Amino acid sequence: MTDAALFRHQFWGEGTYELAIEVGSTDDVGLQAVLDAVWGAAGAEGCYGHKDREPEEQQTVPRTVASLAEFGHLFGQARLPSGELVVCDVTAVRGGGDDGSDWLAFGVPLSALRQAGVEFEDGPYFRSAAADAWLAGIGLDAFREAAFSLGLIGWSVSGLTDSETLGGVLPEKRGMAYLLPSGGVLRYGAVND
């Protein structure tokens, strides 16, 4: 197993490259549905409560809203399109944003992506086309199982905007990609320099 898949070999403080989802409600049922849909779409393996222990050094925990509340994050491993296994995590912000909607963020630490050979673009915005495409695919697959209000993709993008602010229009803001529902269909947009 490479370092990209090991929990303790990550620089968690650098942040994650993430798919941040505005759930669209504040009930446990809605958040659980999105959590299950995202974890399944990512093909994530395991579910653990501690990032300072490797999976074989801890018991699995239920992949539930209650576990998210207890541990703050849930950790696992997912396979990138390149085949490289990386650590991943999910976290939730309950009632976040102006509309009071819950948010769920699925991400991979930047250190794990670098160790897996994921390249980032030069320039003022910290972006990876490969990570954008992978996370957009997870979001599109998850949306088929559990509809949500908005998806933001990029480095530590949770809460940077919300569906009400966007009003159904893909923005021209650089630094993130978007998954925006319209008429029951999820549209993907990435703003390039």
Side-chain angles (χ1 to χ4, degrees):
M1 184 180 308
T2 66
D3 286 350
L6 299 174
F7 290 14
R8 284 193 298 246
H9 285 215
Q10 305 314 314
F11 301 108
W12 293 95
E14 279 187 317
T16 60
Y17 209 84
E18 64 189 9
L19 165 62
I21 294 175
E22 183 182 8
V23 176
S25 71
T26 57
D27 63 62
D28 286 356
V29 173
L31 184 59
Q32 184 67 54
V34 172
L35 171 60
D36 289 339
V38 168
W39 202 264
E45 302 168 6
C47 187
Y48 305 96
H50 303 282
K51 66 182 175 192
D52 60 347
R53 300 179 219 161
E54 297 306 329
E56 62 275 5
E57 299 170 350
Q58 60 182 306
Q59 297 291 320
T60 59
V61 299
R63 188 183 64 233
T64 62
V65 172
S67 291
L68 268 173
E70 179 180 349
F71 296 102
H73 290 258
L74 296 177
F75 303 93
Q77 297 167 320
R79 201 160 295 283
L80 297 173
S82 66
E84 188 78 31
L85 192 65
V86 295
V87 299
C88 62
D89 79 324
V90 293
T91 189
V93 175
R94 303 304 304 263
D98 293 337
D99 66 355
S101 179
D102 289 342
W103 283 77
L104 180 91
F106 172 85
V108 176
L110 293 178
S111 59
L113 291 172
R114 283 191 201 102
Q115 291 170 47
V118 174
E119 294 186 16
F120 292 88
E121 299 169 11
D122 290 332
Y125 306 105
F126 196 66
R127 297 291 302 278
S128 168
D132 283 358
W134 177 60
L135 291 171
I138 291 170
L140 292 166
D141 287 347
F143 186 77
R144 291 184 194 104
E145 300 296 320
F148 50 82
S149 298
L150 175 66
L152 305 175
I153 299 168
W155 175 64
S156 297
V157 294
S158 295
L160 293 181
T161 191
D162 58 45
S163 59
E164 185 177 346
T165 301
L166 294 177
V169 178
L170 287 171
E172 293 189 23
K173 182 174 183 176
R174 289 167 168 62
M176 68 180 105
Y178 304 85
L179 297 170
L180 190 62
S182 177
V185 176
L186 195 64
R187 295 178 294 146
Y188 170 64
V191 181
N192 298 318
D193 289 330

